[in-house]
Amino acid sequence: MRTDSSPGSLPAREHLPAAAAGTPVLDVVVPVYNEERDLGPCVRRLHEHLTRTFPYAFRITVADNASTDGTPHVAARLAADLGAVRSVRLDQKGRGRALRTVWSASDAPVLAYMDVDLSTDLNALLPLVAPLISGHSDLAIGSRLARSSRVVRGAKREFISRTYNLILRGSLQARFSDAQCGFKAIRRDVAQVLLPLVEDTGWFFDTEMLVLAERAGCRIHEVPVDWVDDPDSTVHIVRTATEDLKGVWRVGKALATGSLPLDRLARPFGDDPRDRDLTGVPQGLARQLVGFCVVGALSTLFYLLLYSGFRHFAGSQLANALALLVSAVANTAANRRLTFGVRGRGGAVRHQAQGLVVFGIGLVLTSGSLAALSAATTDPDHSTELAVLIAANLAATVLRFLLFRAWVFPDPQPAAPSPEPHLPEPHLPEPHLPDPQRTWSDAR
């Protein structure tokens, strides 16, 4: 995973302002490899659709992934015949490499790509890019797994697609529904920040970009699509699935170890409504309570399992101390990330040290309850011990949340107000949208 570059800050979400007529607003990339038969009909159909329906200037870029057939000649002929089409030739294969190369060099404020087979109905293209133009979203993807999508494909591909997306949800906590649909778009200013962090150059490029974008707090818009499987697709399913699983492992490991600098991808203050200082509204209290309760329930179960295991070879006090220590470290780490939303490794040691202080308080409460039980009866049974420990842990949990919120993970204090507050200038690309007063024929 690439960690040698500083990604900088994500731009503020704003509507792209109007610009001069004829400036390309959208750059649609069509990555190809040995597609001399399908490339011409695909590009001409896409060009006709955009000319007829898209209200802004556009460009179609054919990205040739080192084809060995007549694909480069077909691409050059299309570029010569159609003014809004250009071709780019790469010496190495890889869809991700092609997209990174073209997107990094493009001057269009909205970047998209689609597969050459045009399996996705083109009527979804304008709904795909509209939220990016308006500033509502950072990325947009077509989804074949949405409830209102209409998909025609075989059982084998359906099973593989759904299984892969379930793996992403279970292993990388992905919330988007369809990582593999070849129909995606991204704002150029966001791509400039994210692309240096994406390592894959093949089919896993899409998934890696989406996972990193989601973890960085980007908004991903999903569009239900109509999709018809291409029976002549040249994609090698087994090889692609194997490479995807390797990519899942690599990205998951990088996220788990904190080697990705996602904590530096902060937006300008004020872009996120959760940043606003609202009088009388404790910041994030409801969400933190829910997260803390979930983590607390799992931690209590983990603690009880550990205590029962340690009790087989140790006394009640030692078993309690060991179980509480191990579960406290796990509890602090989980609350740090899930409840209070702290990313990266900065301050992790200090947070764990403060968590151990909170652990000490919990140890006093639980050990004291066990001592009181021992004083009350000489030989308490195991179920009674567990009941006493549960009650003591409930009391310690309330105190733990208060200490976590007020001391370990306090809300950042708002900066002192200045006479003329200033937000960082958004990194909006130039040029942008055409004059809204222009006619559609002018835009075409």
Side-chain angles (χ1 to χ4, degrees):
M1 186 61 60
R2 302 182 178 188
T3 59
D4 57 343
S5 60
S6 178
S9 297
L10 289 167
R13 293 191 186 102
E14 290 191 7
H15 194 298
L16 299 175
T23 299
V25 172
L26 172 66
D27 193 347
V28 182
V29 182
V30 182
V32 292
Y33 174 73
N34 290 348
E35 298 285 357
E36 62 178 346
R37 186 187 64 168
D38 296 332
L39 179 58
C42 159
V43 172
R44 293 185 185 278
R45 178 183 163 197
L46 175 60
H47 183 273
E48 187 277 332
H49 176 83
L50 288 172
T51 302
R52 179 170 49 86
T53 66
F54 196 67
Y56 309 113
F58 63 87
R59 178 195 299 133
I60 300 173
T61 301
V62 178
D64 176 27
N65 292 300
S67 295
T68 58
D69 63 357
T71 298
H73 303 291
V74 176
R77 188 164 60 251
L78 289 168
D81 294 344
L82 304 173
V85 176
R86 68 168 180 164
S87 63
V88 176
R89 168 78 173 175
L90 282 77
D91 296 330
Q92 294 177 288
K93 290 178 60 177
R95 183 180 68 172
R97 179 179 287 108
L99 292 177
R100 184 201 311 279
T101 301
V102 177
W103 283 356
S104 298
S106 179
D107 60 348
V110 177
L111 311 169
Y113 96 89
M114 61 182 61
D115 292 335
V116 69
D117 56 17
L118 295 186
S119 296
T120 304
D121 182 21
L122 292 178
N123 286 327
L125 183 55
L126 184 55
L128 183 80
V129 301
L132 309 187
I133 294 174
S134 71
H136 175 271
S137 301
D138 302 295
L139 299 90
I141 65 174
S143 176
R144 299 163 297 183
L145 303 180
R147 288 184 179 274
S148 57
S149 298
R150 295 175 291 191
V151 177
V152 178
R153 62 177 168 181
K156 180 180 179 181
R157 284 182 175 269
E158 181 77 11
F159 173 78
I160 292 175
S161 178
R162 291 188 178 274
T163 301
Y164 178 65
N165 284 282
L166 284 175
I167 290 174
L168 293 181
R169 288 177 176 269
S171 60
L172 300 180
Q173 288 79 53
R175 294 193 294 268
F176 47 86
S177 66
D178 191 353
Q180 294 176 310
C181 183
F183 196 71
K184 296 181 176 70
I186 185 172
R187 284 175 62 113
R188 183 172 69 93
D189 45 13
V190 176
Q192 289 175 338
V193 178
L194 284 180
L195 291 183
L197 300 177
V198 181
E199 181 175 335
D200 191 80
T201 58
W203 292 96
F204 187 69
F205 175 89
D206 303 45
T207 302
E208 186 170 357
M209 180 180 67
L210 289 172
V211 170
L212 299 186
E214 193 172 70
R215 292 299 184 96
C218 294
R219 177 176 287 157
I220 300 175
H221 177 71
E222 297 199 20
V223 178
V225 297
D226 296 343
W227 194 86
V228 179
D229 188 17
D230 178 14
D232 298 324
S233 174
T234 59
V235 178
H236 194 289
I237 297 178
V238 176
R239 186 191 311 127
T240 302
T242 302
E243 293 301 317
D244 284 347
L245 292 177
K246 291 180 180 178
V248 170
W249 170 259
R250 173 176 54 80
V251 172
K253 181 180 179 181
L255 292 173
T257 58
S259 60
L260 279 168
L262 296 180
D263 55 313
R264 282 185 274 160
L265 297 181
R267 288 190 175 276
F269 179 80
D271 180 72
D272 192 326
R274 292 170 296 184
D275 293 334
R276 299 170 188 168
D277 185 18
L278 302 178
T279 304
V281 181
Q283 186 177 7
L285 178 59
R287 181 186 59 79
Q288 290 176 358
L289 279 172
V290 172
F292 185 82
C293 289
V294 172
V295 172
L298 296 176
S299 297
T300 300
L301 178 61
F302 184 48
Y303 161 80
L304 293 175
L305 292 174
L306 290 174
Y307 177 81
S308 299
F310 291 147
R311 194 66 175 85
H312 289 297
F313 58 86
S316 61
Q317 292 288 3
L318 180 59
N320 172 63
L322 291 174
L324 199 58
L325 175 62
V326 175
S327 62
V329 172
N331 180 276
T332 300
N335 276 306
R336 182 177 186 270
R337 176 65 184 89
L338 302 177
T339 303
F340 298 96
V342 180
R343 293 193 178 101
R345 291 177 287 185
V349 175
R350 175 175 58 83
H351 292 154
Q352 282 292 351
Q354 292 173 310
L356 289 178
V357 174
V358 179
F359 151 76
I361 297 174
L363 180 62
V364 170
L365 287 174
T366 54
S367 296
S369 64
L370 286 176
L373 179 64
S374 298
T377 177
T378 56
D379 188 23
D381 56 35
H382 187 61
S383 60
T384 304
E385 282 185 349
L386 290 180
V388 170
L389 287 173
I390 290 174
N393 268 285
L394 288 176
T397 296
V398 175
L399 182 59
R400 184 184 302 120
F401 177 75
L402 296 176
L403 289 175
F404 272 179
R405 181 173 170 81
W407 180 48
V408 184
F409 308 108
D411 287 336
Q413 295 298 318
S418 59
E420 296 182 358
H422 174 71
L423 297 179
E425 290 295 328
H427 303 287
L428 294 175
E430 290 290 345
H432 303 294
L433 294 183
D435 190 329
Q437 299 300 321
R438 293 168 49 235
T439 64
W440 280 28
S441 60
D442 292 333
R444 296 195 294 269

